[in-house]
Amino acid sequence: MAFSWLGAPRKDPRDAASLLAELGPGRLLAGASTEELAWAVRKPDRAGLEGAVRCFASEEFTTRHPGHRRVPGTARDLLLRHARSHRPGDLAVLERRLLRTPADRVRRS
């Protein structure tokens, strides 16, 4: 729900409601673990994916989760696919910040 709220388009970005809509989801998501955020990426609509990309591409995500930026492949692929088609400016940032979980890596013997 917070991702959808964060990703919803705003008509007038200078009014108080838009400011609250911009800052509120970040405060709600601040206490969530990376695993919870990654799980929530699987459920949202387009506005939710837009908000999720904004959340994971933000500086707050990196500073809040410096050693816990590993997300499952499904969530990572959804975020990268959405960023590639709708937010190309965030694509390189997401590729650097979203690390794969150890289980997603291919190991060679």
Side-chain angles (χ1 to χ4, degrees):
M1 187 63 117
F3 284 149
S4 293
W5 191 17
L6 183 63
R10 312 281 178 248
K11 290 183 181 180
D12 185 10
R14 297 166 299 199
D15 67 359
S18 292
L19 181 61
L20 178 62
E22 193 74 26
L23 298 175
R27 301 290 189 251
L28 290 172
L29 297 171
S33 68
T34 302
E35 294 82 25
E36 290 173 321
L37 294 174
W39 184 254
V41 168
R42 299 172 186 219
K43 299 178 183 179
D45 53 0
R46 182 172 177 206
L49 275 175
E50 185 76 16
V53 167
R54 289 178 62 192
C55 174
F56 280 95
S58 70
E59 287 290 327
E60 292 86 22
F61 175 74
T62 305
T63 57
R64 189 179 57 226
H65 302 277
H68 304 284
R69 295 179 302 157
R70 298 188 187 283
V71 296
T74 303
R76 185 177 190 274
D77 291 343
L78 284 169
L79 290 167
L80 292 176
R81 193 175 320 132
H82 184 79
R84 195 171 288 118
S85 59
H86 299 290
R87 295 184 65 93
D90 290 333
L91 183 61
V93 173
L94 284 175
E95 287 175 337
R96 278 193 320 270
R97 290 190 178 154
L98 296 180
L99 306 175
R100 292 193 181 275
T101 58
D104 289 345
R105 294 187 196 148
V106 175
R107 295 184 184 179
R108 296 182 181 161
S109 313

